[in-house]
């Protein structure tokens, strides 16, 4: 059997206190792709102690010195692109091409924050009285606990640890239990980049137990989380006891609105990006497609044609465009949404089934699916599907479609296709979402703020917004 991969705490590779291990599977084949040491709150406590001890020296380094470590890591990650992408693809099924893009995105975050670390500016403010001076300092929060999901197992880590380290915080990361292998490889690169011991720590293990330690341990000042709204709420509640800071990037239910004046070919490509990338397993994925009556049939036809060309398969094959779903539970949920829509009058225009022929039998594959005649009563119209299924809802009126699009507790991403400039601005302003893609099906960039309104979360990742999440504001009043 392969060597058991360990956790990285205080600059050393260690096994779980409990001695437990966990096997990791490839969702395309069911094969075991690795075994990891699987810890709990006790290991998290050790890591928090290490991060706490490392904080004073790390936070007092000049920003330029911290920046050098991040820049080293940027280079190492960029040069390990193919290797990291292969691990991502093997542990969660993502097509290789996308996995390579994810790794470059992660590298870009390390570079961006290597630069941004140098721009943590304070302020001086004119005083109301002659014998005082006001100075405002921005300082790192302290130890940060980061919890990341399986759908972008490297980039989600980068988006948390890069700004935290740039700000001068120290970090304990808990990656998702189904995708620890890419995180472990990333930490081997972190070790190579030469970060002082204890500055960045990795704990793989039981989510509830590690999460509890993050919430209860007073040495930890902040929890940065990406995942389900359910777990985000648990963490926020738990963090409230010590008024810990939280950044939460939670679920979504993105509307994608196609107006009759849209470039339909561009809209189909935009939808393909926003719906089928990562097999539909992204929090910014389209979940409701609203198409104007006048173009609904033409749009559906073009979309079905596009899907016929899409290659579904093992993510490790070069030509795969859509991989498997991450596990059986995910596949069951997607099939349940399809069945529920069918039972309430939805019509299947493409796909609709699990793929079971030949090699597909070994993995969790769902056909790319289009459902028409969708109504607001169907689960797919209000629950997050997280799979390659497009429900088409027709609309006639702009105000009504905006009201329908906003009628959800989620508020992460929304998409609009139109060529009317005035309507672009109305949509940008009226949609209650943290991210609005206008004639853009893939609105993410390292320097832009990423995060949600309402129950989609709190805080932003990306650019200077992301750095601010890891800084405290201190007012210093000088009597002179
Ligand atoms: P998903 O359903 O997409 O897996 P989760 O919210 O369950 O989303 O998982 C996202 C991350 O949260 C993972 O790292 C997972 O291990 C972690 N997690 C799950 N439950 C808890 C919990 N009770 N406390 C802390 N972290 C948790």
């Amino acid at each position: 059997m392969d060597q058991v991969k360990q956790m990285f705490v205080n600059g050393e590779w260690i096994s779980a206190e409990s001695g437990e291990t966990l096997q990791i599977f490839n969702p395309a084949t069911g094969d075991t792709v690795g075994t990891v040491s699987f810890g709990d709150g006790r290991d998290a406590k050790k890591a928090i102690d290490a991060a706490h001890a490392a904080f004073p020296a790390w936070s007092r380094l000049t920003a330029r010195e911290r920046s050098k470590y991040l820049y080293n890591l940027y280079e190492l990650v960029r040069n390990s692109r193919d290797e990291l992408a292969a691990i991502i693809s093997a542990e969660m099924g993502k097509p290789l091409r996308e996995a390579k893009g994810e790794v470059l995105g992660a590298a870009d975050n390390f570079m961006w924050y290597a630069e941004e670390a140098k721009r943590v500016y304070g302020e001086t403010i004119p005083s109301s009285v002659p014998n005082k001076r006001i100075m405002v300092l921005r300082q790192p929060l302290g130890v940060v606990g980061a919890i990341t999901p399986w759908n972008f197992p490297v980039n989600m880590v980068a988006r948390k640890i890069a700004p935290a380290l740039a700000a001068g915080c120290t970090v304990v990361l808990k990656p998702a239990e189904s995708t620890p292998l890419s995180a472990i490889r990333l930490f081997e690169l972190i070790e190579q980049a030469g970060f002082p011991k204890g500055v960045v720590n990795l704990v793989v293990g039981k989510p509830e137990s590690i999460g509890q330690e993050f919430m209860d341990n007073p040495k930890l000042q902040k929890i940065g989380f990406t995942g389900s709204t359910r777990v985000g709420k648990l963490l926020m509640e738990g963090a409230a006891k010590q008024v810990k800071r939280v950044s939460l990037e939670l679920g979504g239910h993105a509307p994608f609105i196609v107006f009759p004046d849209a470039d339909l070919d561009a809209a189909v490509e935009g939808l393909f990006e926003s719906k089928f990338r990562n097999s539909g397993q992204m929090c910014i994925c389209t979940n409701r497609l609203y198409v104007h009556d006048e173009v609904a049939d033409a749009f559906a036809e073009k979309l079905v044609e596009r899907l016929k060309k899409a290659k579904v398969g093992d993510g490790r094959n070069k030509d795969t465009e859509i991989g498997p779903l991450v596990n059986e539970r995910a596949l069951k949920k997607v099939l349940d949404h399809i069945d529920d829509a069918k039972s309430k009058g939805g019509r299947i225009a493409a796909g609709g089934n699990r793929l079971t022929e030949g090699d597909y039998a070994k993995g969790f594959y769902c056909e790319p699916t289009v459902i028409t005649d969708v109504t607001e009563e169907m689960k797919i119209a209000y629950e997050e599907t997280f799979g390659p299924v497009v429900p088409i809802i027709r609309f006639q009126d702009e105000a009504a479609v905006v009201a329908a699009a906003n009628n959800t507790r989620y508020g992460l991403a929304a998409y609009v296709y139109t060529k009317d400039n005035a309507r672009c601005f109305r949509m940008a302003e009226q949609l209650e979402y943290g991210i609005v893609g206008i004639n853009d099906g893939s609105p993410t960039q390292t320097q832009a703020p990423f995060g949600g309104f309402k129950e989609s979360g709190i805080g932003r990742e990306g650019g200077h917004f992301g750095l601010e999440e890891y800084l405290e504001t201190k007012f210093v009043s000088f009597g002179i």
Side-chain angles (χ1 to χ4, degrees):
M1 200 172 81
D2 267 354
Q3 182 207 355
V4 176
K5 304 264 184 200
Q6 294 173 300
M7 309 180 221
F8 191 65
V9 173
N10 205 23
E12 281 171 24
W13 294 95
I14 62 161
S15 293
E17 184 89 6
S18 65
E20 280 185 46
T21 59
L22 182 77
Q23 286 194 330
I24 308 303
F25 297 98
N26 181 336
T29 60
D31 296 339
T32 304
V33 287
T35 306
V36 297
S37 188
F38 200 64
D40 54 32
R42 287 171 290 174
D43 306 290
K45 181 176 182 311
K46 275 189 210 162
I48 293 169
D49 282 341
H52 190 254
F55 176 71
W58 179 251
S59 58
R60 283 177 206 145
L61 286 182
T62 64
R64 275 175 187 269
E65 283 171 299
R66 283 199 299 271
S67 170
K68 278 187 217 152
Y69 292 101
L70 286 164
Y71 193 80
N72 284 349
L73 186 55
Y74 153 69
E75 290 207 311
L76 287 163
V77 171
R78 198 190 50 175
N79 293 336
S80 308
R81 182 188 73 156
D82 292 351
E83 187 200 348
L84 273 167
I87 299 173
I88 293 173
S89 202
E91 67 182 350
M92 56 73 71
K94 180 175 298 198
L96 267 181
R97 185 182 49 87
E98 284 180 26
K100 286 178 190 172
E102 178 185 339
V103 176
L104 290 185
D108 201 46
N109 271 286
F110 290 119
M111 180 164 75
W112 183 270
Y113 286 104
E115 302 295 345
E116 204 63 15
K118 301 170 205 160
R119 299 187 236 295
V120 178
Y121 302 136
E123 279 182 49
T124 56
I125 301 173
S127 166
S128 317
V129 287
N131 60 342
K132 286 192 182 191
R133 295 292 179 270
I134 298 172
M135 181 171 84
V136 180
L137 299 178
R138 308 302 311 279
Q139 293 188 310
L141 281 170
V143 178
V144 172
I147 301 178
T148 50
W150 50 266
N151 61 346
F152 287 86
V154 170
N155 201 17
M156 291 292 163
V157 175
R159 280 163 47 153
K160 288 177 179 54
I161 70 176
L165 295 171
C169 295
T170 54
V171 179
V172 178
L173 170 76
K174 189 207 87 60
E177 53 275 32
S178 55
T179 56
L181 298 173
S182 52
I184 290 170
R185 182 66 193 123
L186 180 65
F187 269 73
E188 288 168 0
L189 301 178
I190 285 173
E191 185 182 23
Q192 247 174 284
F195 284 89
K197 73 181 176 120
V199 168
V200 215
N201 305 274
L202 169 71
V203 178
V204 177
K206 294 182 181 149
E208 293 80 9
S209 170
I210 295 172
Q212 200 60 49
E213 184 63 29
F214 280 10
M215 291 184 277
D216 293 346
N217 192 322
K219 289 181 179 167
L220 189 137
Q221 301 301 332
K222 163 152 191 154
I223 300 176
F225 172 77
T226 299
S228 60
T229 298
R230 181 187 70 81
V231 175
K233 286 180 182 175
L234 281 177
L235 293 170
M236 192 170 175
E237 256 184 75
K241 288 193 206 109
Q242 294 175 9
V243 197
K244 282 187 182 172
R245 307 306 188 248
V246 289
S247 290
L248 306 171
E249 205 266 275
L250 309 177
H253 203 278
F256 188 111
I257 308 172
V258 182
F259 284 98
D261 57 20
D263 174 338
L264 289 193
D265 292 319
V268 166
E269 272 317 306
L271 178 76
F272 191 83
E273 265 290 303
S274 94
K275 178 74 256 189
F276 293 99
R277 197 148 66 89
N278 216 20
S279 304
Q281 303 172 114
M282 303 188 289
C283 42
I284 58 167
C285 269
T286 293
N287 218 121
R288 288 165 289 155
L289 173 60
Y290 293 99
V291 191
H292 194 274
D293 241 349
E294 278 174 30
V295 291
D297 291 335
F299 186 90
E301 235 169 78
K302 281 178 188 286
L303 179 60
V304 170
E305 279 311 302
R306 174 67 184 88
L307 292 185
K308 278 188 195 151
K309 285 188 251 158
K311 267 270 199 228
V312 180
D314 188 323
R316 292 169 300 176
N317 298 337
K318 276 205 182 67
D319 53 352
T320 293
E321 272 188 289
I322 301 175
L325 291 164
V326 70
N327 56 33
E328 188 158 19
R329 187 164 57 98
L331 177 64
K332 275 198 176 140
K333 181 173 186 193
V334 171
L335 296 174
D336 173 57
H337 277 195
I338 297 174
D339 289 343
D340 173 76
K342 277 203 292 198
S343 74
K344 294 174 182 160
R347 205 174 58 75
I348 304 295
N353 296 299
R354 177 176 187 169
L355 283 161
T356 50
E357 302 272 301
D359 281 349
Y360 289 133
K362 293 188 241 156
F364 306 114
Y365 291 99
C366 178
E367 286 179 304
T369 297
V370 179
I371 312 178
T372 61
D373 303 335
V374 169
T375 61
E376 305 284 340
E377 290 70 46
M378 299 175 185
K379 278 188 198 169
I380 200 158
Y382 57 88
E383 272 185 22
E384 195 174 25
T385 309
F386 241 54
V389 184
V390 186
I392 301 188
I393 306 172
R394 289 170 174 256
F395 75 92
Q396 287 87 31
D397 174 67
E398 181 182 307
V401 80
V402 170
N406 286 339
N407 185 21
T408 166
R409 288 305 306 153
Y410 291 115
L412 187 56
Y415 304 87
V416 178
Y417 274 74
T418 177
K419 281 190 193 148
D420 178 332
N421 277 342
R423 176 144 55 205
C424 288
F425 281 95
R426 287 198 296 278
M427 293 302 105
E429 288 161 13
Q430 291 171 16
L431 287 166
E432 295 162 359
Y433 288 82
I435 302 164
V436 180
I438 298 201
N439 299 318
D440 182 5
S442 184
T444 43
Q445 293 197 49
T446 307
Q447 62 271 44
F450 187 104
F453 285 19
K454 301 182 191 166
E455 292 185 23
S456 285
I458 281 188
R460 293 293 180 271
E461 292 184 335
H464 68 84
F465 306 92
L467 192 64
E468 279 152 26
E469 300 285 325
Y470 296 97
L471 296 168
E472 265 303 2
T473 300
K474 184 183 282 174
F475 160 40
V476 185
S477 182
F478 286 96
I480 56 172

